[in-house]
Amino acid sequence: MFDLHDRRAFLRAAIAAGAAWATTDVADVEAAFAWSSGQTAAGKRPVTTLTTAQADVVEAVTARILPAVDGRPGALEAGAIHFIDRALATFNSAQKTLYSDGVADLNRRATAASPGTASFAALSAAQQDDVLRQVERTPFFQAVWFDTIVGTFGLPTLGGNRDYAGWHMLGFEHQPSFQAPFGYYDAEIAKRG
Amino acid sequence: MVQTARPSARFRPADVVDFVIVGSGAAGGIMAKELSTAGFSVVVLEQGPRLTEAQFIHDEFGMLMRNQYVNDPSTQPHTFRATPQDRAAQALSLIYGRMVGGSNAHFTGNCWRLRPSDFNEASRLGGVPRSALADWPITYDDLEPYYTKVDWELGVSGEPGPFDAKRSKGYPMPPLPVKSSGVLMDKGAGALGLHSHPSPMAINSQPYNGRPPCQHCGFCLFFMCEFRAKSTSMAVMLPLAEATGRCEIRAGSYVARVEMGTDGKAAGVSYFDAQKRLQLQRARAVVLCANGAETPRLLLNSATSRFSSGLANSSGMVGKHLMFNTYFGVDAQFEHPLNEYKSVQNTRIVTDFYESDPKRGHYGGGAIDARFGRYPITFALQGLPPGSPTWGEGFARSLAQQYTRSMFFGCHGTSLPRETNSVAIDPDLKDAWGLPCMRVTYQDHPDDLKNARFLVDKALQIAQAAGALKAWPETVGPQAQSVHLLGTCRMGNDPRTSVIDKYHRAHDVKNLFICDGSSLVTSSRGQPTMTISALAFRAGEHIAGFAKRGEI
């Protein structure tokens, strides 16, 4: 619903700004709404490609790559795992084995680090960081790293960045319209006249 | 703005139209408007889809990493090698807009004119070793009226800079409001005795010809404008062309060959329609505006027994002299939020280093602009200084702290034309339509990289003088990828060393015209769109004149 809202906000602003197309392409606008809402519904699905146990591990990795700090949301809060799961089902299907092998490897390392622990997800954050430092140069970690960033900072229609959590983390506002002054330095000049 | 009041024209491929234009971008859109308003029937063939503003989405991932609106290497791959001695491998080296409106639909909006000095550097400097630097067959004065046409017919915001060439008319709109990056550029450049001034932008700063002003949403670069505030072919020229009732824009048309008649003239072009059926659009004349990559590829793929080395290629120069421009820069972090994600890409430029100066010990010139250029994903991937944490709490904290406090000083520089830098046909690779693919050969001239380092060094000084808490330069090294595709069918008076004459007519084929980035003789200082657009207005006027006088 967030991108649907986003589209509507842009269109409203476009109409307010007098953009001629906004009143002439009504059918296209409605089609875009329908497409956008379908995309968003798809984004709310639970994991379908990874198993729940695998998803728990990958989600734990995303939470250590981009943890919530200073009261700001991180990759977990943004639901980056849902982007990863959807990507593995579609355009990133070539990395399914990389992911399942990588998860199995993390679980083995978790057991070695903490005998009796079967899942990386069950380790403490500090233990997880220790394990991740062992693998941070592997193709698996690099893949999760990249996908965590896209899943946290990409459009919510891709499956992650829930409630724009990733963008809130950065202080990035996605709005159809801003007015000057935009930042501290141009505001200073404007004040001085 | 003139909205389409009657349905745009529809032609059958078998109809002999006056002109078939290949490509609908910066040049193709202007060409379509000029020729259709002059009274001619026109079909524009565009390989990409036709999108409306309601379909635009701010999907950074789709745009930058999934090739949503650009050439798709999965169906139309090409190969790259640095030198003829290297083995070419598949790569995404050349990137161009693939949609009605072309790259111009999602360009930044920079609208820099050339200066008089750009047109005769070869003779003035006495040439540059290991380059094919040449003079243009036209002068700044020849092109000036058409730069002014771009300013006024499309709509450019700005104010004359201290070193600009003379203009016959002022800008139609004042500059866009300065951003924090621009204020910092003013400060840093001013402290060094340099001249920071407003960037000329093809973006409305106020209502213009029925289109609204910029809303400052921040998605110009790589994205199309929902508001039609960006003055593009898509927003301005193509609607005017269609409104004549004489122009059809046929999206999803992938051109295969220019077809020649037995009279030695072009008879039309064959293309695959959206269902991949081969069609032949007949025309009295053919105009290629397919960009500096696809135009030479099309000519080379149109070889016949009479033109065995490719159409319009008796000089052997089709595809040669590919120029990218250099683009490197300096990242900087400041104490307070700049919020560079808002509004247009850049509001200030420094052009003190525009002219090539022998005292620097190398050929080249350029300009520096104050910009950001990083959407959230790109910033997280590469926006922090070297040595920063790449994951964990330090990573998250740095991103949160720096996203709003970062900017980039972009350094745009010259590329020398070299005969070995080229778009040719790959001997093995075929695209999804069965057509031979491009093989790109490109290696920067040593002077290009020296010039880029010179500019980056100046930008670093500006960043430091502006009070950056941290500033770090990009490493200048060989370029293997570009969105500026220039010089591959250069214009000139001598048919032995150029592909088209100064009116954009192919030396070898009377009714074949070429106008796009391939026409440029030199590379510009890094922002070629304004010149491509002005050339298109000029060429359109001359081509219409030839057609009216029965000279095609």
Side-chain angles (χ1 to χ4, degrees):
Chain A
M1 72 183 257
F2 292 97
D3 279 288
L4 185 58
H5 167 78
D6 192 56
R7 289 304 315 157
R8 286 192 194 280
F10 265 91
L11 289 164
R12 270 201 306 274
I15 292 164
W21 61 267
T23 49
T24 54
D25 296 335
V26 175
D28 288 335
V29 172
E30 291 307 318
F33 280 163
W35 183 87
S36 183
S37 81
Q39 292 291 304
T40 310
K44 293 199 168 220
R45 284 196 304 242
V47 293
T48 55
T49 314
L50 295 166
T51 66
T52 309
Q54 287 173 328
D56 286 346
V57 171
V58 175
E59 187 170 47
V61 177
T62 68
R64 295 318 302 155
I65 290 171
L66 277 174
V69 287
D70 307 333
R72 294 172 192 255
L76 180 79
E77 292 72 21
I81 184 66
H82 295 288
F83 164 76
I84 294 172
D85 184 63
R86 277 185 51 184
L88 289 173
T90 53
F91 58 83
N92 201 27
S93 59
Q95 289 197 325
K96 266 197 269 194
T97 310
L98 182 70
Y99 264 81
S100 54
D101 290 354
V103 166
D105 176 57
L106 285 183
N107 287 341
R108 275 193 299 274
R109 290 172 189 273
T111 307
S114 173
T117 303
S119 170
F120 172 85
L123 296 176
S124 71
Q127 289 172 316
Q128 288 176 344
D129 286 355
D130 284 341
V131 170
L132 291 178
R133 273 189 283 273
Q134 298 165 20
V135 301
E136 65 182 334
R137 294 189 187 282
T138 62
F140 167 66
F141 183 85
Q142 292 302 317
V144 183
W145 181 81
F146 181 86
D147 293 347
T148 298
I149 285 171
V150 177
T152 303
F153 301 119
L155 267 189
T157 45
L158 298 171
N161 195 5
R162 183 194 298 143
D163 298 357
Y164 293 143
W167 292 352
H168 289 148
M169 174 190 166
L170 296 178
F172 168 72
E173 303 163 90
H174 190 219
Q175 283 177 208
S177 186
F178 293 104
Q179 284 188 326
F182 307 114
Y184 174 90
Y185 299 94
D186 53 309
E188 238 192 353
I189 293 290
K191 255 186 289 178
R192 271 187 248 151
Chain B
M1 179 173 63
V2 181
Q3 280 292 314
T4 309
R6 50 188 150 163
S8 62
R10 286 287 173 270
F11 301 98
R12 291 169 305 168
D15 294 338
V16 183
V17 295
D18 292 319
F19 291 98
V20 59
I21 299 173
V22 181
S24 64
I30 290 170
M31 195 65 69
K33 181 261 178 185
E34 288 295 284
L35 295 175
S36 62
T37 54
F40 299 105
S41 56
V42 175
V43 169
V44 179
L45 299 176
E46 164 59 50
Q47 60 162 297
R50 182 157 205 169
L51 302 174
T52 66
E53 281 80 357
Q55 293 168 295
F56 299 171
I57 291 168
H58 294 174
D59 179 1
E60 183 189 3
F61 182 66
M63 185 64 200
L64 293 181
M65 293 161 205
R66 304 285 300 159
N67 307 304
Q68 200 165 45
Y69 303 127
V70 298
N71 48 317
D72 180 356
S74 70
T75 55
Q76 40 187 169
H78 56 267
T79 58
F80 177 85
R81 59 184 188 177
T83 73
Q85 288 73 46
D86 296 318
R87 193 183 162 80
Q90 277 195 43
L92 184 58
S93 175
L94 309 183
I95 302 174
Y96 61 81
R98 186 180 183 277
M99 56 185 290
V100 171
S103 307
N104 182 247
H106 43 72
F107 89 130
T108 309
N110 288 307
C111 252
W112 305 359
R113 293 181 179 205
L114 296 184
R115 295 184 185 170
S117 57
D118 282 289
F119 295 85
N120 63 0
E121 276 189 316
S123 56
R124 219 163 20 80
L125 301 173
V128 177
R130 287 177 294 156
S131 87
L133 186 65
D135 287 349
W136 290 60
I138 58 173
T139 65
Y140 176 81
D141 288 340
D142 292 330
L143 201 52
E144 198 285 333
Y146 305 96
Y147 279 133
T148 296
K149 259 183 186 286
V150 181
D151 283 348
W152 287 81
E153 292 203 19
L154 279 133
V156 179
S157 302
E159 79 185 24
F163 309 110
D164 286 7
K166 70 173 168 27
R167 338 167 36 96
S168 55
K169 205 171 172 183
Y171 283 97
M173 287 176 278
L176 289 142
V178 68
K179 295 174 61 168
S180 280
S181 57
V183 171
L184 293 164
M185 178 77 123
D186 286 345
K187 183 181 170 190
L192 298 172
L194 303 171
H195 303 77
S196 170
H197 60 93
S199 315
M201 302 294 280
I203 296 172
N204 292 350
S205 61
Q206 56 192 37
Y208 192 72
N209 285 351
R211 291 180 297 113
C214 176
Q215 302 297 300
H216 310 294
C217 77
F219 282 80
C220 308
L221 176 62
F222 309 131
F223 293 94
M224 298 77 75
C225 180
E226 280 87 350
F227 303 101
R228 289 188 184 165
K230 187 149 71 174
S231 304
T232 59
S233 267
M234 176 194 235
V236 185
M237 289 291 124
L238 294 172
L240 291 173
E242 286 189 303
T244 63
R246 286 184 290 274
C247 177
E248 176 187 348
I249 297 160
R250 207 174 287 161
S253 304
Y254 193 72
V255 175
R257 289 169 62 90
V258 176
E259 299 295 348
M260 296 297 289
T262 49
D263 56 357
K265 285 167 47 170
V269 302
S270 54
Y271 68 97
F272 291 97
D273 66 16
Q275 286 73 44
K276 284 199 177 179
R277 293 173 305 205
L278 197 60
Q279 306 278 4
L280 170 64
Q281 176 62 57
R282 297 181 180 280
R284 291 187 180 84
V286 173
V287 189
L288 303 184
C289 302
N291 77 47
E294 291 293 356
T295 288
R297 177 190 178 212
L298 181 53
L299 291 171
L300 295 171
N301 275 344
S302 300
T304 63
S305 52
R306 184 166 162 188
F307 298 98
S308 58
S309 63
L311 196 57
N313 195 25
S314 65
S315 63
M317 292 297 145
V318 168
K320 304 283 176 66
H321 307 125
L322 177 65
M323 298 176 286
F324 281 178
N325 293 128
T326 55
Y327 180 54
F328 299 94
V330 173
D331 280 283
Q333 297 172 341
F334 289 86
E335 183 183 1
H336 300 289
L338 286 68
N339 298 330
E340 285 300 302
Y341 63 86
K342 298 179 186 177
S343 195
V344 301
Q345 268 298 308
N346 73 79
T347 59
R348 286 293 185 274
I349 50 173
V350 164
T351 61
D352 293 68
F353 311 109
Y354 190 98
E355 303 294 341
S356 191
D357 181 353
K359 285 204 289 288
R360 291 179 205 146
H362 60 259
Y363 164 84
I368 302 168
D369 65 14
R371 58 167 65 202
F372 186 34
R374 288 194 169 132
Y375 298 103
I377 296 171
T378 324
F379 185 79
L381 293 175
Q382 53 180 218
L384 296 175
S388 300
T390 55
W391 60 275
E393 271 137 31
F395 182 49
R397 199 166 276 128
S398 299
L399 292 177
Q401 169 76 10
Q402 299 303 342
Y403 186 72
T404 54
R405 290 174 174 79
S406 297
M407 66 168 286
F408 186 71
F409 293 87
C411 303
H412 311 267
T414 40
S415 290
L416 279 160
R418 315 181 80 182
E419 206 173 310
T420 46
N421 287 345
S422 66
V423 171
I425 298 302
D426 190 277
D428 307 311
L429 197 61
K430 302 277 193 296
D431 68 14
W433 293 263
L435 300 173
C437 295
M438 291 182 277
R439 182 190 64 201
V440 180
T441 306
Y442 197 88
Q443 186 173 50
D444 304 278
H445 190 284
D447 279 20
D448 297 344
L449 297 180
K450 283 180 195 165
N451 181 57
R453 284 188 195 101
F454 168 82
L455 292 169
V456 165
D457 185 50
K458 295 294 177 190
L460 183 60
Q461 291 171 22
I462 293 171
Q464 286 161 345
L469 298 181
K470 193 164 224 169
W472 63 102
E474 279 186 317
T475 305
V476 173
Q479 303 187 110
Q481 189 179 64
S482 186
V483 296
H484 292 182
L485 313 172
L486 308 172
T488 46
C489 294
R490 56 158 53 167
M491 60 158 69
N493 292 325
D494 186 346
R496 291 167 305 177
T497 57
S498 59
V499 178
I500 55 171
D501 69 14
K502 63 179 173 180
Y503 303 113
H504 294 259
R505 194 198 300 259
H507 289 302
D508 300 347
V509 183
K510 190 179 181 185
N511 66 338
L512 173 64
F513 298 89
I514 299 169
C515 183
D516 54 27
S518 73
S519 311
L520 272 66
V521 181
T522 58
S523 70
S524 84
R525 263 55 184 170
Q527 298 300 346
T529 303
M530 179 52 151
T531 296
I532 294 169
S533 304
L535 288 174
F537 272 117
R538 182 176 174 276
E541 190 177 298
H542 286 292
I543 295 169
F546 295 142
K548 279 179 184 157
R549 297 193 296 273
E551 295 169 6
I552 55 173

